Amino acid sequence: MKTHRPETTYTKPHFFILNKGLNSGKPLNTPCPNCFVCIVENEADREFLYWLCFGLWRSKSFHFYLKGSVIPFITIDEIRKVIRESEVKASTKEKAFDKSIQALKLLDVNEQKIKLTLKMIDTARQSIFHNLMKETGAG
């Protein structure tokens, strides 16, 4: 794991981890200005670590390690420590970990569907009122 540099491209499987703000620890598929990159040897390790970080982020496990008063952040050493300790625990409870990850994936898919539905509802609201104003000549 290292600090991501925007000019760097990675050939091995990898993902990014946000390191600033209240979402510190959130795993990302695409880089952002304030993130670390986690580079691994194979796709299976990437999936395992990505979803481990996702679970840790969702359970707010990184919040304890946030520093800073204006913009909270987490250090690379703290991220490494939390991931290492959690990796050991997850590996000893492989079936329970897999079951938890499947549940997280399902919830994430459902959350994305709900967000899309809410966006469509908001667009429909705007359209209804816009059409009303067009009909009355006020818009």
Side-chain angles (χ1 to χ4, degrees):
M1 187 175 313
K2 59 186 180 180
T3 301
H4 168 66
R5 304 269 181 251
E7 66 279 357
T8 308
T9 53
Y10 308 99
T11 54
K12 289 186 177 182
H14 63 278
F15 66 96
F16 304 93
I17 301 171
L18 189 61
N19 63 23
K20 286 198 177 146
L22 293 176
N23 277 321
S24 290
K26 180 179 183 180
L28 308 165
N29 289 312
T30 55
C32 67
N34 300 304
C35 67
F36 302 126
V37 61
C38 183
I39 304 167
V40 295
E41 290 300 316
N42 57 58
E43 198 58 40
D45 289 344
R46 183 211 177 275
E47 279 294 295
F48 175 82
L49 288 172
Y50 178 92
W51 287 103
L52 178 66
C53 286
F54 187 86
L56 291 168
W57 168 68
R58 279 292 187 189
S59 65
K60 300 193 184 299
S61 296
F62 296 113
H63 274 225
F64 176 79
Y65 300 94
L66 293 178
K67 296 177 171 139
S69 56
V70 178
I71 299 174
F73 66 96
I74 189 166
T75 66
I76 197 164
D77 290 334
E78 289 163 334
I79 286 266
R80 283 183 184 134
K81 178 184 172 214
V82 173
I83 291 173
R84 224 177 272 123
E85 290 171 357
S86 301
E87 188 177 6
V88 170
K89 290 177 187 174
S91 296
T92 60
K93 300 174 184 177
E94 196 173 330
K95 282 190 178 185
F97 176 77
D98 289 342
K99 192 174 179 179
S100 295
I101 294 307
Q102 291 309 314
L104 284 174
K105 286 180 179 180
L106 184 60
L107 288 169
D108 196 49
V109 166
N110 286 329
E111 180 182 22
Q112 297 310 315
K113 287 179 184 177
I114 291 168
K115 283 180 179 178
L116 180 62
T117 301
L118 289 172
K119 190 173 183 178
M120 290 169 41
I121 288 170
D122 192 48
T123 302
R125 282 185 184 133
Q126 291 174 2
S127 178
I128 288 167
F129 197 74
H130 178 76
N131 289 339
L132 175 68
M133 291 297 109
K134 241 172 51 177
E135 290 173 8
T136 60

